[in-house]
């Protein structure tokens, strides 16, 4: 930091949404800086608003109305949690503190950018743009800025930048972990990656699905992914599209993927336990293991999508019964995949003759339990499974790992015996420009760019390296990513550098 509390760095990743307050004399470069770093609709300028409510930007008589309108705009935008840049002189300490308070009310970050520019340079810039600011006015602004600048650090801003700073925004949790990328480069840790394929409504329709899916799987294997996963649903789920969007049956699809790959593990993330009879499911997974050369994973959960089951006439019992069936399945499947034909009598599952030949090629098919429930789901994972799958960023994952550790201690198992996997939607761009274009092209029409970016964890390669470093430190051993633009191999190629950063 500089002597006045200014952060002096080449680039700062600001958390989105945020409120950015500019402070500097007329002609100090505030508007030029804002236009270089933010979209026009994100910038609220007192000069521009004077032109709206008065005779022009220099109509001082319109200042009160312009500032009243500015305050309304700032209030409405922060209520909607939209990044806003306040482009005024910023020399009124009470106004600055009010903006800080407003940002805090909306749990938004608030930062200040101070523009240190000599009065001589300001006069030259003002002349160049045909703007006349009397010398006595500019001298007064200079004195005010000199007096106010040391006080900026006490206004409550998260930090104070200088006008020389380059900035960009990223979703708050991505921005928070961005600096971890440098840590990963200097002291790398390992992390495995899996790819989830959640949608199949690709260009060319069903006729091209074989070609697209095969290309995606081969690209993932070539890029260094360790596993490929599909959802186990008979229709598309609301988070990804309408019910009538194409949805391939999971285990048939996994068998196809087995024929088009050589190394990656394969599984459903996850199979709702009521989707099929448990013994039938076990037979399907054993067959997948054989035809894939020993690469099957068994992902199980209690299920949640009642509408899907009821529409297809598949029973969907109450949650307690589904948990009982899941626990039975966790006990039954390893028995079923073993030797002989023993009988199994569980809480709700009864199998008179548990015989499965050919047996899986793996001596033990890895079983993963999916779900965020800390009391029951993670308890089952700790007692029976080889892996759990959770959703959430580093802070949430750390809490889940703590719950898993407690359950493992209670079950008498080392926590290291249960692999922690994490699933997240991830949008990656090679750089800020490409990422912005991707967000703009993918976002729904009524969703702002920054809200969509937060939803899909949008970030550059460096951002994602930092984000996944934080997840690894929280306890994740395999990060499974779902790309919102997975219609071809390009997002996999963009993500390759992230995978490479964790190979050491």
């Amino acid at each position: 930091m500089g002597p006045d509390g200014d952060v002096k760095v080449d680039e700062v990743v600001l958390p989105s949404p945020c409120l950015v307050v500019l402070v500097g004399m007329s002609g100090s470069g505030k508007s030029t800086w804002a236009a270089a770093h933010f979209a026009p609709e994100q910038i609220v300028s007192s000069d521009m608003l004077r032109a709206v409510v008065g005779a022009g930007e220099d109509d001082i008589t319109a200042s009160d109305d312009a500032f009243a309108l500015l305050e309304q705009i700032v209030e409405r935008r922060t209520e909607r949690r939209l990044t806003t840049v306040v482009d005024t002189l910023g020399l009124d300490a009470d106004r600055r503190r009010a903006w800080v308070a407003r940002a805090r009310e909306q749990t938004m970050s608030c930062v200040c950018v101070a523009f240190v520019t000599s009065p001589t340079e300001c006069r030259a810039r003002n002349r160049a743009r045909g703007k006349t600011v009397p010398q006595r006015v500019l001298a007064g602004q200079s004195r005010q800025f000199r007096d106010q600048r040391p006080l900026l650090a006490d206004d409550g801003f998260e930090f104070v930048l200088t006008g020389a700073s380059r900035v960009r925004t990223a979703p708050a949790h991505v921005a928070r972990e961005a600096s971890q990328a440098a840590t990963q480069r200097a002291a790398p840790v390992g992390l495995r990656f899996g790819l989830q394929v959640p949608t199949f409504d690709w260009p060319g329709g069903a006729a091209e699905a074989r070609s697209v899916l095969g290309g995606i799987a081969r690209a993932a294997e070539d890029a260094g992914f360790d596993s490929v996963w599909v959802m186990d649903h008979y229709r598309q789920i609301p988070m990804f599209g309408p019910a009538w969007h194409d949805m391939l049956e999971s285990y048939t699809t996994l068998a196809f993927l087995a024929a088009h790959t050589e190394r990656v593990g394969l599984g459903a993330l996850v199979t709702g336990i009521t989707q099929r009879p448990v013994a039938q499911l076990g037979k399907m997974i054993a067959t997948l293991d054989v035809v894939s050369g020993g690469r099957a994973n068994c992902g199980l959960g209690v299920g949640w999508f009642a509408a899907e089951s009821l529409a297809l006439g598949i029973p969907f019992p109450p949650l307690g019964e589904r948990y009982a069936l899941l626990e039975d399945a966790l006990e039954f499947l390893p028995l079923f995949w073993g030797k002989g034909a023993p009988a199994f009598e569980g809480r709700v599952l009864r199998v008179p003759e548990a015989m499965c030949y050919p047996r899986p090629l793996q001596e033990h098919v890895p079983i993963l339990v999916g779900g965020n429930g800390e009391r029951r789901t993670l308890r089952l994972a700790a007692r029976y499974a080889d892996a759990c799958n959770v959703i959430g960023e580093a802070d949430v994952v750390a809490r889940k790992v703590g719950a898993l550790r407690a359950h493992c201690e209670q079950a008498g198992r080392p926590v290291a015996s249960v692999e922690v996997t994490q699933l997240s939607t991830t949008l990656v761009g090679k750089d800020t420009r490409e990422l912005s274009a991707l967000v703009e092209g993918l976002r729904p029409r009524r969703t702002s760019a920054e809200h969509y970016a937060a939803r899909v964890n949008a970030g550059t390669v460096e951002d994602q390296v930092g984000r996944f470093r934080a997840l690894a430190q929280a306890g994740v051993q395999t990060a499974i990513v779902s790309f919102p633009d997975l219609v071809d191999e390009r997002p996999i190629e963009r993500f390759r550098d992230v995978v490479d950063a964790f190979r050491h």
Side-chain angles (χ1 to χ4, degrees):
M1 299 184 71
D4 299 302
D6 302 339
V7 176
K8 298 181 182 299
V9 291
D10 289 336
E11 181 179 70
V12 177
V13 184
L14 300 179
S16 174
C18 62
L19 185 62
V20 182
V21 177
L22 309 186
V23 180
M25 297 179 288
S26 176
S28 60
K30 301 185 301 297
S31 299
T32 301
W33 181 90
H37 293 90
F38 294 91
E41 64 272 15
Q42 294 177 311
I43 303 167
V44 187
S45 163
S46 55
D47 284 351
M48 294 298 294
L49 291 176
R50 266 194 294 268
V52 171
V53 298
E57 291 186 16
D58 298 324
D59 186 353
I60 301 301
T61 65
S63 290
D64 287 346
D65 289 340
F67 269 94
L69 183 55
L70 181 143
E71 293 291 357
Q72 285 188 326
I73 294 171
V74 171
E75 181 179 359
R76 297 297 185 270
R77 287 186 62 84
T78 52
E79 284 177 352
R80 290 179 168 84
R81 292 179 54 77
L82 296 170
T83 290
T84 304
V85 181
V86 183
D87 181 7
T88 69
L89 294 177
L91 297 175
D92 185 326
D94 290 337
R95 283 188 188 274
R96 292 196 306 267
R97 290 167 187 152
W99 291 327
V100 170
R102 180 168 293 132
R104 285 180 177 167
E105 286 176 6
Q106 302 301 328
T107 63
M108 291 172 60
S109 295
C110 190
V111 301
C112 176
V113 185
F115 292 79
V116 184
T117 311
S118 70
T120 301
E121 179 64 21
C122 289
R123 280 193 293 271
R125 290 177 179 176
N126 287 328
R127 282 197 301 269
R129 60 179 179 159
K131 187 177 181 69
T132 301
V133 179
Q135 185 169 344
R136 61 178 179 77
V137 173
L138 202 58
Q141 293 177 6
S142 178
R143 286 192 299 273
Q144 279 186 283
F145 182 79
R146 186 174 60 250
D147 294 341
Q148 289 286 316
R149 189 183 174 203
L151 306 178
L152 297 177
D154 299 324
D155 282 348
F157 296 107
E158 286 193 24
F159 41 84
V160 179
L161 306 174
T162 70
S165 301
R166 292 186 299 110
V167 304
R168 60 186 176 88
T169 59
H173 60 281
V174 176
R176 186 172 59 244
E177 312 297 358
S179 63
Q180 293 285 343
T183 305
Q184 177 63 17
R185 305 292 187 194
V189 299
L191 182 66
R192 293 180 290 274
F193 287 92
L195 174 68
Q196 186 197 49
V197 183
T199 60
F200 303 93
D201 52 320
W202 296 320
E208 294 297 320
R210 177 177 180 274
S211 174
V212 174
L213 183 58
I216 286 172
R218 288 187 293 271
E221 192 164 67
D222 182 67
F225 283 83
D226 289 290
S227 54
V228 176
W229 305 79
V230 296
M231 298 193 303
D232 188 23
H233 289 287
Y234 298 120
R235 56 171 65 183
Q236 187 53 274
I237 62 177
M239 292 81 85
F240 288 100
W244 58 86
H245 273 191
D246 290 352
M247 174 58 66
L248 299 182
E249 193 281 323
S250 59
Y251 287 94
T252 314
T253 303
L254 291 168
F256 171 86
L257 292 173
H260 286 77
T261 56
E262 297 292 335
R263 178 185 55 80
V264 292
L266 301 166
L269 195 68
V270 288
T271 289
I273 200 59
T274 59
Q275 292 283 70
R276 301 168 188 79
V278 174
Q280 179 190 10
L281 174 64
K283 181 65 177 178
M284 295 165 69
I285 293 173
T287 301
L288 175 63
D289 199 61
V290 170
V291 300
S292 67
R295 295 185 283 136
N297 291 286
C298 174
L300 300 175
V302 291
W304 60 272
F305 196 15
E308 172 187 49
S309 295
L310 298 176
L312 298 175
I314 299 172
F316 194 77
L319 182 60
E321 293 182 32
R322 302 201 309 275
Y323 265 111
L325 182 59
L326 175 60
E327 188 162 8
D328 280 352
L330 292 169
E331 293 177 344
F332 166 75
L333 287 171
L335 182 72
F336 183 58
W337 294 326
K339 297 178 181 179
F344 178 83
E345 191 78 36
R347 299 156 190 79
V348 294
L349 177 65
R350 179 175 179 272
V351 181
E353 193 173 293
M355 182 175 65
C356 179
Y357 290 95
R359 295 171 58 205
L361 297 185
Q362 297 180 89
E363 187 63 29
H364 178 76
V365 175
I367 295 178
L368 176 151
V369 171
N372 266 23
E374 295 180 18
R375 186 170 62 88
R376 288 193 284 187
T377 302
L378 289 178
R379 179 186 67 82
L380 292 178
R383 185 171 181 183
Y384 299 105
D386 304 287
C388 65
N389 181 256
V390 297
I391 296 173
E393 292 305 304
D395 54 344
V396 174
V397 169
R399 190 179 74 243
K400 303 297 178 186
V401 170
L404 177 68
R405 180 179 294 109
H407 288 307
C408 283
E409 290 173 357
Q410 190 174 31
R413 291 183 69 187
V415 69
S417 65
V418 183
E419 180 184 5
V420 177
T421 73
Q422 181 255 11
L423 171 66
S424 68
T425 302
T426 301
L427 181 65
V428 63
K430 288 288 187 182
D431 52 35
T432 305
R433 178 174 295 182
E434 182 180 54
L435 183 65
S436 297
L438 288 168
V439 168
E440 193 59 36
L442 292 168
R443 69 180 178 93
R445 189 162 60 91
R446 291 184 175 87
T447 301
S448 72
E450 57 190 314
H451 287 174
Y452 179 76
R455 184 191 306 172
V456 298
N457 301 299
T460 64
V461 167
E462 283 298 290
D463 292 338
Q464 300 295 358
V465 170
R467 174 174 168 250
F468 285 106
R469 167 69 185 223
L471 285 165
Q473 289 180 318
V476 173
Q477 294 152 290
T478 294
I480 302 172
V481 295
S482 175
F483 298 126
D485 55 340
L486 189 62
V487 298
D488 53 31
E489 302 162 26
R490 287 178 293 177
I492 297 170
E493 287 304 314
R494 293 196 301 271
F495 198 75
R496 181 189 289 268
D497 290 342
V498 181
V499 176
D500 288 345
F502 291 87
R503 302 292 185 191
H504 69 96

